[in-house]
Amino acid sequence: MNDLYLDKENIPKHVAIIMDGNGRWAKQKGEMRIFGHTNGVESVRASLTAAGEIGIKYLTLYAFSTENWNRPKEEVAALMDLLVKAIYDEVEELNEKGVKLDTIGNTNILPDSCQVALKEAKERTKNNSGITLILALSYSSRWEIAQAIKKMAGEAKDGSLSVEAINEDLISSYLSTANYPDPELLIRTSGENRVSNFLMWQLAYTELYFTKTLWPDFKKEHFYKAIKDYQERERRFGKTSEQITDE
Ligand code: FPP
């Protein structure tokens, strides 16, 4: 599959990916789990390039969940080191290609080296107008929603937010994705058919695409196949099929 088969008039603005299966990929090869994560970075590059080439505006990657803190501490440390290395290795090229980097999640609790690398890369790419790469780090939906409620409740208590003003748009504006549209498509690799605490508010109308391909094997052609699958679906947002075709 290449991008020639895609309808250029129907490209999603925002695609989110749960990159799963690195550990199993490594195990199949008789290697340590981190070998899978290291190879997963190449798949990040492939999906980002593919997405940029067809004009997707936002790509959100679930790189480290709140729950991932419970993994063995060696794996957590190795993942953080890998992230820092990938940022330093790639920032130049990301910048040249007009990529803007952003993060969502509780990044204040990441190791200092990670926070510094992210801050520098964000600063360096902040004026770019190509695709925005949003890394979800120490992120989970329930954490994000709890944060939003806490903030709203605090403001309601001190009088700066009126309870009557609370509606769906306002809630969206308190989430870490406030600046971004909801994803039209979620991809999850490795054959797991779950959302796993990722963007649960934002995924209300998102098309879900599950593939058995393990993340380190997920390359450009797999990305385009997912987009093609999305394009063949009819998005109804609660309306009837007839209402959609009459529009
Ligand atoms: C899930 O596979 C993958 C992760 C928890 C980490 C993903 C991180 C990367 C691909 C590197 C990130 C780098 C950048 C630049 C964003 P798993 O370990 O859960 O695999 P398993 O389910 O087979 O055990």
Side-chain angles (χ1 to χ4, degrees):
M1 171 72 63
N2 64 38
D3 63 342
L4 295 175
Y5 295 91
L6 297 177
D7 173 2
K8 297 293 165 10
E9 303 300 310
N10 185 19
I11 299 293
K13 277 197 188 64
H14 185 176
V15 174
I17 309 184
I18 301 177
M19 311 180 286
D20 199 5
N22 294 348
R24 275 163 284 165
W25 185 88
K27 195 170 174 205
Q28 282 173 8
K29 297 189 154 34
E31 299 280 353
M32 308 275 284
R33 297 176 55 80
I34 191 65
F35 183 70
H37 299 315
T38 308
N39 279 273
V41 176
E42 277 312 304
S43 299
V44 170
R45 178 197 285 275
S47 283
L48 180 62
T49 310
E53 280 174 9
I54 58 170
I56 287 170
K57 295 300 295 171
Y58 310 98
L59 181 69
T60 300
L61 302 179
Y62 208 2
F64 193 83
S65 70
T66 306
E67 292 75 20
N68 286 154
W69 288 114
N70 298 323
R71 291 195 174 193
K73 68 175 191 315
E74 299 74 29
E75 184 175 346
V76 172
L79 268 169
M80 294 299 155
D81 288 349
L82 184 62
L83 184 70
V84 172
K85 184 177 176 331
I87 292 168
Y88 285 124
D89 287 352
E90 306 291 338
V91 68
E92 189 74 48
E93 195 182 334
L94 292 178
N95 200 30
E96 273 165 23
K97 294 203 168 130
V99 177
K100 182 170 167 177
L101 182 73
D102 198 3
T103 54
I104 54 172
N106 191 10
T107 52
N108 293 335
I109 64 168
L110 294 173
D112 288 347
S113 60
C114 220
Q115 293 192 43
V116 170
L118 288 166
K119 192 166 170 242
E120 282 178 21
K122 281 197 228 178
E123 182 60 30
R124 187 119 176 249
T125 60
K126 70 175 185 207
N127 294 321
N128 290 343
S129 56
I131 187 169
T132 301
L133 171 64
I134 304 158
L135 297 180
L137 290 164
S138 192
Y139 172 89
S140 77
S141 247
R142 290 183 176 180
W143 166 82
E144 173 184 60
I145 291 169
Q147 289 292 112
I149 291 174
K150 218 183 263 177
K151 189 149 184 260
M152 282 190 282
E155 292 177 11
K157 199 169 151 200
D158 73 22
S160 58
L161 173 68
S162 116
V163 172
E164 286 67 42
I166 298 177
N167 58 25
E168 294 180 14
D169 288 342
L170 188 97
I171 294 171
S172 293
S173 76
Y174 278 73
L175 301 178
S176 49
T177 48
N179 298 327
Y180 304 120
D182 291 342
E184 292 97 327
L185 173 66
L186 171 80
I187 299 170
R188 181 171 189 157
T189 58
S190 92
E192 309 290 352
N193 301 343
R194 293 187 291 276
V195 168
S196 295
N197 217 350
F198 188 46
L199 301 176
M200 291 188 305
W201 173 273
Q202 298 86 340
L203 294 179
Y205 286 104
T206 302
E207 295 294 331
L208 308 179
Y209 177 86
F210 298 108
T211 170
K212 288 202 163 60
T213 306
L214 303 174
W215 179 249
D217 288 328
F218 191 87
K219 299 294 182 240
K220 241 176 165 177
E221 68 264 30
H222 304 92
F223 186 86
Y224 288 140
K225 188 158 173 263
I227 303 295
K228 181 79 185 151
D229 193 277
Y230 162 83
Q231 292 186 336
E232 283 163 358
R233 300 184 193 187
E234 180 188 65
R235 305 189 73 215
R236 299 214 303 267
F237 303 98
K239 296 183 183 176
T240 66
S241 192
E242 289 70 27
Q243 284 174 301
I244 301 295
T245 42
D246 289 349
E247 273 173 5

